[in-house]
Amino acid sequence: MSRYWSATVRSLTPYVPGEQPKLPNLVKLNTNENPYGPSPRVLAALRAEVGDMLRLYPDPNCDRLKEAIAAFHRLEPAQVFVGNGSDEVLAHVFLGLLKHEHPVLFPDISYSFYPVYCRLYGIEYRQVPLTESFEIRVDDYLRPNGGIVFPNPNAPTGRPLALAEIERLLRASTGSAVVVDEAYVDFGTESVVGLIARHPQLLVVRTLSKSHSLAGLRVGYALGQVELIEGLNRVKDSFNSYPLDRLAISGAAAAIEDRAHFEENCAKVIATRTRLVSELGSLGFEVLPSTANFVFARHRGHRGADLAARLRERSIIVRHFSKPPRIEPFLRITVGTDAQCAALISALRAIVA
Ligand SMILES: Cc1ncc(COP(=O)(O)O)c(C=O)c1O
């Protein structure tokens, strides 16, 4: 605490990202990264970008990347907003679209950055409890609000909300923005991008950190009708004109254009997830149905914190949340390679035996 801090800084409770340990030989299943590398076309694009041109600023509009993203989703480039990771995109969304008279609504168990943005920007919010089975119930959101935001599938539960239910929400809630955070959608959830044309209040947020294996490049984007995107551009151009550098623009465009590599990696993760869920089940874990690249699992006989600590002793790291108390028994486990998941299962077998 310094006397030079503003009142805003004093009141913040910053988000704590999952650990990025510097230790070698870890089985790292704690931050939902992709266990497989990015497309070779990304690496070639990055190398081509390293040179004299780096003395020049990048394109502030990131046209090359917006065109690639628009073609991927069959939208117009003017319907695409890009940012330095979807965390930055979400920050602009909270300030630009979710700050209104009524509180913004999001699930009580969800991406823990949402309340952090609210506190940063002085946005009122209400956390809507998930059901007993950790599901989002649309009817709970049908009340006056300054916007609605949730991940689909939800994080850290991994549970998806059906497309028809999201459409029901969109039909009933037209007065404020509805933001669907599709960070994990490519691992088996139906996307709502196809609903954008019919719903002017819908904004879809995506990232290249998970399904495109580019967490290290920091690229995220949002899709919506042009008016919503223009609002985000106004925030971005009041904050940082060049959120993506030349390498990020070029590498991200190459990743989006290599659809085959992306599809192959997603399919491998999904196949491993199926095996992981069944093996966790045979060790006595209850695993919530997941359509993400992670699973959320608890064991009747063991506390979540103890399991995480004992895995750590064996150089395996997973994510554990002590709050809210309802999710204390759970571990959030990223789906790794088959070999990483086999190491996890054999460690857990020894721990819970
Ligand atoms: C639900 C959700 N949204 C957004 C993000 C942010 O991703 P990034 O900033 O890497 O694009 C994450 C990261 O884990 C996430 O879990």
Side-chain angles (χ1 to χ4, degrees):
M1 185 79 81
S2 156
R3 69 192 178 98
Y4 301 111
W5 286 6
S6 67
T8 307
V9 169
R10 281 165 202 269
S11 72
L12 295 179
T13 316
Y15 175 75
V16 183
E19 225 190 321
Q20 296 295 340
K22 309 276 183 299
L23 308 170
N25 304 324
L26 272 186
V27 177
K28 187 174 179 307
L29 304 176
N30 67 329
T31 47
N32 300 340
E33 288 134 333
N34 200 308
Y36 306 108
S39 157
R41 283 159 67 172
V42 172
L43 306 182
L46 294 180
R47 281 191 202 102
E49 213 50 49
V50 176
D52 182 57
M53 291 298 274
L54 285 177
R55 71 201 164 72
L56 300 179
Y57 283 107
D59 172 10
N61 295 319
C62 308
D63 287 338
R64 154 108 177 81
L65 176 57
K66 285 184 185 171
E67 278 158 23
I69 293 170
F72 185 87
H73 290 290
R74 298 173 198 275
L75 295 170
E76 294 301 317
Q79 296 181 286
V80 181
F81 176 80
V82 296
N84 191 266
S86 60
D87 280 340
E88 186 186 81
V89 174
L90 284 164
H92 292 344
V93 168
F94 273 80
L95 184 61
L97 304 178
L98 300 177
K99 190 170 178 169
H100 297 288
E101 183 195 340
H102 290 295
V104 55
L105 307 179
F106 46 81
D108 63 338
I109 298 166
S110 194
Y111 187 32
S112 44
F113 225 136
Y114 300 159
V116 176
Y117 297 127
C118 290
R119 287 192 294 267
L120 175 63
Y121 293 126
I123 300 170
E124 249 202 276
Y125 64 95
R126 295 277 180 284
Q127 291 176 289
V128 181
L130 295 181
T131 66
E132 278 292 293
S133 48
F134 297 93
E135 284 171 282
I136 292 172
R137 185 167 42 210
V138 160
D139 290 330
D140 296 341
Y141 291 79
L142 305 184
R143 51 170 138 147
N145 65 73
I148 296 169
V149 53
F150 58 90
N152 196 39
N154 196 10
T157 64
R159 290 205 79 144
L161 180 61
L163 190 70
E165 279 299 280
I166 302 180
E167 195 155 24
R168 187 162 76 80
L169 175 67
L170 287 164
R171 277 199 300 268
S173 183
T174 55
S176 55
V178 175
V179 179
V180 183
D181 178 352
E182 293 195 336
Y184 302 101
V185 77
D186 295 319
F187 302 102
T189 311
E190 220 176 337
S191 171
V192 294
V193 170
L195 304 182
I196 287 173
R198 271 179 282 143
H199 300 281
Q201 80 278 36
L202 172 62
L203 189 86
V204 184
V205 177
R206 294 261 189 145
T207 178
L208 272 75
S209 298
K210 317 294 177 181
S211 52
H212 286 88
S213 311
L214 284 178
L217 203 63
R218 309 304 299 128
V219 180
Y221 61 94
L223 307 168
Q225 291 195 12
V226 174
E227 293 76 17
L228 286 188
I229 300 301
E230 278 172 358
L232 297 176
N233 283 328
R234 288 169 73 92
V235 179
K236 171 241 170 197
D237 287 324
S238 307
F239 179 80
N240 178 5
S241 309
Y242 308 103
L244 297 193
D245 60 47
R246 287 176 172 273
L247 300 184
I249 293 170
S250 182
I256 296 278
E257 283 162 1
D258 193 348
R259 200 183 262 268
H261 183 88
F262 148 82
E263 283 174 357
E264 195 184 312
N265 276 357
C266 290
K268 282 198 276 191
V269 169
I270 292 168
T272 305
R273 180 182 69 211
T274 306
R275 282 192 289 275
L276 177 64
V277 168
S278 121
E279 285 165 348
L280 285 169
S282 67
L283 293 180
F285 280 87
E286 179 203 348
V287 188
L288 299 189
S290 169
T291 57
N293 69 337
F294 57 85
V295 297
F296 206 47
R298 66 179 156 192
H299 196 280
R300 262 160 252 106
H302 296 265
R303 292 187 54 228
D306 294 340
L307 288 172
R310 294 184 65 188
L311 283 171
R312 200 186 172 87
E313 288 163 10
R314 292 165 164 82
S315 298
I316 299 172
I317 50 174
V318 298
R319 191 94 194 249
H320 173 257
F321 301 91
S322 50
K323 278 194 255 164
R326 218 177 138 196
I327 60 168
E328 194 291 327
F330 284 88
L331 299 178
R332 194 198 67 189
I333 305 169
T334 304
V335 178
T337 60
D338 283 337
Q340 289 176 316
C341 291
L344 170 86
I345 292 297
S346 94
L348 284 174
R349 185 172 292 119
I351 294 167
V352 303

